[in-house]
Amino acid sequence: MNLLFTELPSPKMHPANIGHDLTRDAFPLTGLKKTQYLDRVLDLEIFRDDFRHVPAELRTVFLTGAKVVKNAIAPATMGDWDDQRLEFVKFYTDLAHSLDPELIFDAVVSADIHPTVEYISVSPLAFEKLGRTPEKRKFCFAAMNTSEERELWYVHRALQFKAAGFDSLTFESGVPQKVIDLFAEDTPLVFTSRTHPGAKSPSEEDPVAIAEAWITQKQLEG
């Protein structure tokens, strides 16, 4: 039992979970096991900019007997700041899993890409996941108007979320189906077609249009 949650009973003894075998021994979740998990979904964005509220949010999860926390982290755009953020996030997902190893956190893979990705080194695992030869380099935002670079970025970010303790991924509209299919093979839960709050128009959400506009702006500045 984790010291932050000593007052909470074992998740297995929660009234919503008694009598149900929720052991995750195969990926992806299918059939009755998947239904049992989806019956215990709590939609709660826990990991936002301010982490002071996270312990209270986790208590809510445990008190409700939830097994899937949908949209637990849902950045509207993704850039270099998320790398540091995910280090803190993993501390809390590890904390939660020490109490309930079966708990599934869901991460939203945003379709929008921020120019600050140029500060991020591409993970060798992202290249390997796509069947490509790893290269030692950073992302190129100007190249985000190509399917190859966009796929690489989305795979990189999804792998980061999984490494940070997220066993469910929600891919927003605009993420290539090829990327979604790759993770559907080895991820307990995969959801699609979520559009982030505050989305205004398809053109503003289109990563290709955003990258091309950025290139045009740089050319004008140069």
Side-chain angles (χ1 to χ4, degrees), residues 37-49:
Y37 270 86
L38 294 182
D39 282 344
R40 291 162 181 76
V41 173
L42 176 65
D43 195 326
L44 181 64
E45 187 176 357
I46 297 176
F47 305 107
R48 302 188 291 273
D49 292 333

Side-chain angles (χ1 to χ4, degrees), residues 128-148:
E128 293 171 5
K129 185 82 170 175
L130 286 162
R132 303 180 195 171
T133 301
E135 304 171 21
K136 191 174 182 179
R137 67 173 177 86
K138 296 184 184 298
F139 283 99
C140 177
F141 185 74
M144 289 299 172
N145 60 352
T146 67
S147 60
E148 291 80 8

Side-chain angles (χ1 to χ4, degrees), residues 136-168:
K136 191 174 182 179
R137 67 173 177 86
K138 296 184 184 298
F139 283 99
C140 177
F141 185 74
M144 289 299 172
N145 60 352
T146 67
S147 60
E148 291 80 8
E149 193 75 358
R150 291 199 311 279
E151 289 170 358
L152 193 61
W153 166 252
Y154 295 132
V155 169
H156 172 94
R157 184 55 88 201
L159 287 172
Q160 280 191 310
F161 282 138
K162 292 190 70 173
F166 293 84
D167 287 329
S168 172

Side-chain angles (χ1 to χ4, degrees), residues 70-83:
K70 193 77 169 60
N71 305 320
I73 185 169
T77 59
M78 295 190 290
D80 67 325
W81 60 85
D82 289 311
D83 281 1

Side-chain angles (χ1 to χ4, degrees), residues 17 35 51-52 57 82 90-91 96 103 107-108 129 137 140 146 148 152 156 159 165 181 186 195 204 218 222:
N17 299 325
T35 300
F51 285 86
R52 290 176 295 180
E57 301 278 34
D82 289 311
K90 189 176 188 309
F91 169 81
L103 182 62
V108 176
K129 185 82 170 175
R137 67 173 177 86
C140 177
T146 67
E148 291 80 8
L152 193 61
H156 172 94
L159 287 172
D181 291 342
D186 60 6
T195 301
E204 290 174 303
K218 289 296 183 182

